[in-house]
Amino acid sequence: MVVEDEAVDPRIAQQSLQPRKADRIVGAQQFLHRRDVDGEQETCGGAALDRSLGHSMLVRVRARQADRAGGPADAQNGQENSGALVAGVDRVHVGRKPSLDPLCRLLGDELERVNQLIVQRMQSPVALIPQLAGYIVASGGKRLRPMLTLGCARLCGYRGGRHIALAAAVEFIHTATLLHDDVVDASDLRRGRDTANAVWGNKSPILVGDFLFSRSFELMVADGSLRILEILSRASSVIAEGEVLQLMTANDTRTSEAAYLAVIQAKTAELFAAASRIGAVMAERPLEEEEALDRFGRNLGIAFQLVDDMLDFSAHPTELGKSIGNDFRDGKVTLPVLVAFARGDKGERAFWRRTIEKQDQRAGDLQQAIDLVEKRGALAETLSRARGYVATAIGALSIFRDGTERRALSDAAAFATERGF
């Protein structure tokens, strides 16, 4: 970022926007893709991946809770029991921790071009727009969704240049939804920084989110493919439906797992699926390959959101990049809550009804909620379900020739259940 007319090193965390001083940002200058030679950190799309721990936080959670976990997960999308699916993931990554690094290295130059286009297309003569958009775009996201577009295009043998603009369109859709979500959820922290609404209030992020949606559609129209426009525009509408559906299921412990999965399929998995599928469309591959990439992205997106919901009760704030317990405080009914509620005794269910349904939350309730989801094995169960979806995602790639692209995408999928931030 350029802050107060000085180019700063984006690797230094303390050089960032001070809360409620929006005028301190001039504009986004660059997004860093860097790998330290000592291997301790790798930055991809602005996100530093911590390599210092021998075992991920989620592995430690699973080990602590394994003896509390219940039976096999419910069948979803033709899955078998979760244990068998977890084994499928483990066979892909024997002896090492899954990582985004291979995909980052493979796509380094293309990601840089995407980032440059993002910076270019978020400019506006209305000064607040690039200020606010630059703040959220440069806040350290992994760029996973545009990476899926780039990676899947390469997997399908595409060698043109359209994937750069379409990957940027995917990121604009995602960023717009983040701006809107943070306002709806009244969130004040994302990726370790103040949210845009915490800095600028609610009105500006909503309007800049609309601007970014519009920019994404300009890029789609310029591409000229009605098929791609259809896929991404549908994803945008489904995401909005998912957010509204989540409002309808909030504060209701009677929510079914099917309803919960419908929410995350729409608000998260739909864009993962669309971002992956358009790679095959660009390469003019057969429908079978389009559908395989849709399954890959969709199942990866579900797993990603399951882990996100799990981390809300288990991650240290510096690992997760947001305040823990946000979902609990908002009364969101996520899988850890559903599992803990179903397995809880009469007193525990009364606790969940008071805190989630009545929103009567008192000092110590968050810690009690964390204790209950651990006691009832809800975190281990959620992780097991997520790994099942990851195994399904990796399996969807089996119709493609084995090679660097397929292995990198498989590794990125497996990383979804090992991330601690």
Side-chain angles (χ1 to χ4, degrees):
M1 300 295 295
V2 179
V3 181
E4 295 184 303
D5 298 321
E6 293 292 329
V8 302
D9 186 345
R11 292 171 289 182
I12 302 176
Q14 63 267 29
Q15 292 180 323
S16 60
L17 180 71
Q18 296 181 20
R20 303 193 180 279
K21 293 187 178 179
D23 57 318
R24 302 290 284 276
I25 285 189
V26 177
Q29 184 181 42
Q30 65 177 338
F31 298 95
L32 189 65
H33 297 271
R34 176 182 60 83
R35 185 169 190 265
D36 286 351
V37 294
D38 60 10
E40 286 300 307
Q41 279 194 331
E42 177 149 351
T43 300
C44 181
L49 308 181
D50 187 357
R51 302 318 226 178
S52 61
L53 298 178
H55 301 283
S56 75
M57 179 275 298
L58 295 179
V59 171
R60 298 197 300 274
V61 168
R62 182 168 174 80
R64 186 172 67 248
Q65 299 178 343
D67 60 329
R68 300 171 180 158
D74 293 339
Q76 299 290 342
N77 293 337
Q79 295 180 23
E80 300 176 8
N81 72 72
S82 60
L85 290 167
V86 170
V89 177
D90 291 342
R91 280 195 298 271
V92 177
H93 303 285
V94 173
R96 66 181 179 84
K97 180 180 176 182
S99 169
L100 280 179
D101 296 355
L103 194 58
C104 287
R105 287 193 293 268
L106 181 68
L107 303 175
D109 291 341
E110 292 161 281
L111 275 170
E112 185 59 36
R113 291 168 60 195
V114 171
N115 285 329
Q116 290 170 359
L117 183 59
I118 288 172
V119 172
Q120 174 189 334
R121 295 308 291 263
M122 71 184 184
Q123 297 306 313
S124 167
V126 180
L128 181 59
I129 291 177
Q131 288 173 3
L132 196 154
Y135 180 70
I136 185 69
V137 169
S139 63
K142 293 174 286 298
R143 307 285 186 268
L144 181 54
R145 293 154 190 83
M147 286 170 66
L148 293 178
T149 297
L150 300 175
C152 288
R154 287 182 62 117
L155 178 68
C156 292
Y158 180 72
R159 294 295 181 263
R162 296 164 56 201
H163 60 322
I164 302 301
L166 291 173
V170 166
E171 183 66 6
F172 277 144
I173 293 172
H174 173 56
T175 305
T177 63
L178 292 184
L179 287 167
H180 291 170
D181 290 353
D182 285 341
V183 172
V184 171
D185 295 340
S187 300
D188 58 6
L189 194 66
R190 179 177 290 280
R191 298 169 186 152
R193 305 176 72 194
D194 293 293
T195 55
N197 49 294
V199 177
W200 281 275
N202 288 336
K203 293 180 181 179
S204 296
I206 288 290
L207 296 173
V208 173
D210 292 343
F211 172 84
L212 294 180
F213 265 127
S214 300
R215 279 289 194 246
S216 72
F217 280 94
E218 288 177 355
L219 290 167
M220 292 180 229
V221 170
D223 178 75
S225 168
L226 288 178
R227 177 70 177 135
I228 288 176
L229 181 60
E230 175 191 11
I231 292 168
L232 291 179
S233 60
R234 171 171 169 75
S236 299
S237 64
V238 170
I239 291 167
E241 290 172 345
E243 293 295 344
V244 174
L245 183 59
Q246 181 168 263
L247 290 177
M248 295 172 62
T249 60
N251 311 114
D252 188 358
T253 57
R254 295 170 298 177
T255 300
S256 66
E257 288 191 17
Y260 163 76
L261 286 170
V263 169
I264 65 175
Q265 283 250 22
K267 80 185 192 75
T268 301
E270 188 68 27
L271 187 56
F272 275 77
S276 302
R277 184 169 197 146
I278 62 175
V281 177
M282 278 184 278
E284 299 181 343
R285 302 303 301 165
L287 182 61
E288 179 187 19
E289 293 186 12
E290 271 192 49
E291 293 175 343
L293 290 181
D294 187 290
R295 288 194 302 276
F296 166 73
R298 193 171 304 278
N299 282 278
L300 173 54
I302 294 171
F304 191 91
Q305 188 61 54
L306 285 171
V307 172
D308 231 34
D309 293 346
M310 171 190 160
L311 289 171
D312 192 66
F313 288 100
S314 61
H316 189 278
T318 58
E319 292 179 309
L320 182 56
K322 66 178 182 180
S323 301
I324 65 169
N326 277 351
D327 292 346
F328 173 74
R329 283 185 285 268
D330 292 340
K332 291 181 181 177
V333 181
T334 59
L335 187 60
V337 173
L338 290 173
V339 172
F341 183 86
R343 295 177 180 177
D345 58 27
K346 183 177 179 180
E348 291 169 10
R349 292 186 182 191
F351 167 82
W352 291 115
R353 290 191 183 101
R354 172 175 64 82
T355 56
I356 297 295
E357 292 187 358
K358 298 180 181 179
Q359 284 285 275
D360 177 12
Q361 296 185 10
R362 308 162 189 170
D365 279 349
L366 174 58
Q367 186 57 54
Q368 185 175 350
I370 292 171
D371 292 341
L372 288 178
V373 295
E374 290 199 9
K375 174 183 177 182
R376 296 302 178 184
L379 300 187
E381 175 72 8
T382 302
L383 177 59
S384 181
R385 304 273 189 102
R387 285 184 164 176
Y389 283 106
V390 163
T392 302
I394 292 173
L397 298 179
S398 62
I399 72 168
F400 296 96
R401 181 182 62 83
D402 188 25
T404 303
E405 290 84 2
R406 178 176 149 184
R407 288 193 293 271
L409 287 166
S410 296
D411 214 36
F415 169 77
T417 58
E418 302 299 333
R419 62 196 179 94
F421 58 93

